[in-house]
Amino acid sequence: MMLDHVGFAVADYERSKAFYERALAPLGFTLLMEFSGAAAGFGRHGAGRPSFFLEADGEPVRGRLHIGLRAESRAQVDAFHAAAVEAGGIDNGAPGLRWYHPDYYGGYVLDPDGNNIEAVCHQPEE
């Protein structure tokens, strides 16, 4: 994997933090650290450090940002999508197989700022 971490500014920090706390939980991500109410760092249990940051300062991305998060199973993709919609995200593509390759199983939601957040599993169905 090439990326170490990703971070982006959001329009409403508290709203986005609450959304991501719920939406990322099915993927095993939790809020690992927060810096003075200005940045939230999410990561997987046991990872020791965050890899996904929300930032209160700065301008939110103009245009749509697309972030794909790896899921360990298709069930995790389904759970992510359901949790994200329940947390206020907008369905942007129900979980299912995509044409990218035979085992590409993804689900998409728009976060509170309209960013396209995807959970994807590349494993065949078990």
Side-chain angles (χ1 to χ4, degrees):
M1 176 173 244
M2 180 180 3
L3 296 176
D4 181 71
H5 62 276
V6 63
F8 55 97
V10 294
D12 183 328
Y13 177 75
E14 290 298 329
R15 179 182 71 175
S16 290
K17 183 176 76 168
F19 169 80
Y20 279 103
E21 283 180 301
R22 292 176 59 193
L24 296 178
L27 299 176
F29 279 73
T30 60
L31 181 63
L32 296 179
M33 60 179 62
E34 189 168 13
F35 307 97
S36 304
F42 295 86
R44 291 207 167 149
H45 292 295
R49 61 177 184 75
S51 58
F52 186 89
F53 289 89
L54 301 178
E55 301 166 6
D57 298 328
E59 292 294 318
V61 176
R62 294 175 58 81
R64 188 181 304 173
L65 179 66
H66 177 177
I67 297 176
L69 303 168
R70 184 167 299 185
E72 300 299 320
S73 67
R74 292 179 183 194
Q76 274 191 337
V77 173
D78 296 344
F80 158 81
H81 188 269
V85 169
E86 185 178 297
I90 297 170
D91 174 27
N92 196 37
L97 291 170
R98 302 295 190 255
W99 59 268
Y100 310 122
H101 67 72
D103 293 317
Y104 195 108
Y105 188 88
Y108 306 81
V109 294
L110 300 180
D111 77 358
D113 288 308
N115 297 309
N116 187 27
I117 308 302
E118 170 189 8
V120 59
C121 177
H122 296 281
Q123 304 303 318
E125 188 170 23
E126 296 177 1

